[in-house]
Amino acid sequence: MDVGLESPVPLLDQHDLDNYLFPLADWISKREGRRFVSVWGSKRRVGTSRICVDQARSVEEAVPPHRSYSVRTSASSQTTAYKQQIYEQLDHAATLPDGPVSLRLRFSVGPRRNWLNLWKPTIDALGPILGRTAPEKPWHPRDGRIVDLSLHCRVEPSLGNEVAITIDVDHQPA
């Protein structure tokens, strides 16, 4: 999905890409009875938005990410413990400088996990990387600055209820 935002709508404040992607992916999944394995979104300063649904294909990574982190969680994504486990594992991460960010989340999940429900709470826990809107709000990262978001899922039966997440981030010059 490419989200077009015209002026004066701020590009790097609010208009979080996961808030566009989740309802669409959830609706299509339920309607078609198929699971997505990869979902991509971007937002740009253009007048139109567009979507495309296609078969997933493997691609080679052209440039390694600026920063990469690996975390694991065993908690339900509906609990604060899920976010807390991720946040604590990222506590050592340096916050990216101001400006646009590209984020790739690669989820490895057991067969019973609905990975779409992992997106929002995972991003909510990325305050150490993205910065927070206010110091007293741990689950309110500056995620409006994400201009490119890609989400990927691989099912690994051995994980059971655990979730392994690779977080790749790139800071883009403003």
Side-chain angles (χ1 to χ4, degrees):
M1 169 180 262
D2 296 319
V3 178
L5 299 173
E6 293 183 356
S7 290
V9 176
L11 186 64
L12 302 180
D13 184 31
Q14 301 178 12
H15 303 283
D16 305 352
L17 283 170
D18 61 302
N19 292 338
Y20 291 93
L21 294 171
F22 176 79
L24 184 62
D26 187 50
W27 182 79
I28 292 172
S29 292
K30 288 176 181 171
R31 178 185 163 115
E32 299 298 319
R34 297 175 66 184
R35 298 180 86 177
F36 282 96
V37 296
S38 184
V39 177
W40 302 64
S42 68
K43 62 180 180 178
R44 300 283 185 264
R45 182 85 45 223
V46 295
T48 59
S49 298
R50 64 189 181 132
I51 63 169
C52 175
V53 179
D54 201 351
Q55 285 291 119
R57 308 181 278 285
S58 179
V59 295
E60 292 296 320
E61 187 173 339
V63 179
H66 178 71
R67 296 184 188 172
S68 188
Y69 306 92
S70 295
V71 298
R72 284 180 88 101
T73 179
S74 57
S76 164
S77 64
Q78 307 303 308
T79 66
T80 302
Y82 178 89
K83 296 180 207 180
Q84 190 69 40
Q85 287 178 3
I86 294 169
Y87 190 95
E88 288 172 359
Q89 293 173 70
L90 296 173
D91 197 33
H92 69 283
T95 303
L96 292 168
D98 286 342
V101 172
S102 293
L103 174 66
R104 177 175 58 190
L105 297 175
R106 294 181 282 161
F107 296 92
S108 295
V109 300
R112 293 190 315 253
R113 283 275 194 170
N114 179 356
W115 78 289
L116 286 101
N117 292 332
L118 303 175
W119 302 357
K120 184 159 187 53
T122 299
I123 294 171
D124 285 350
L126 299 183
I129 297 170
L130 299 172
R132 297 193 320 217
T133 59
E136 70 279 2
K137 296 182 176 183
W139 314 130
H140 294 270
R142 294 181 51 219
D143 53 341
R145 62 197 289 221
I146 301 168
V147 296
D148 291 300
L149 176 62
S150 64
L151 305 144
H152 311 276
C153 180
R154 179 177 56 207
V155 175
E156 291 187 26
S158 64
L159 284 172
N161 289 324
E162 288 191 16
V163 178
I165 309 164
T166 302
I167 304 157
D168 298 327
V169 290
D170 286 301
H171 178 258
Q172 300 178 0

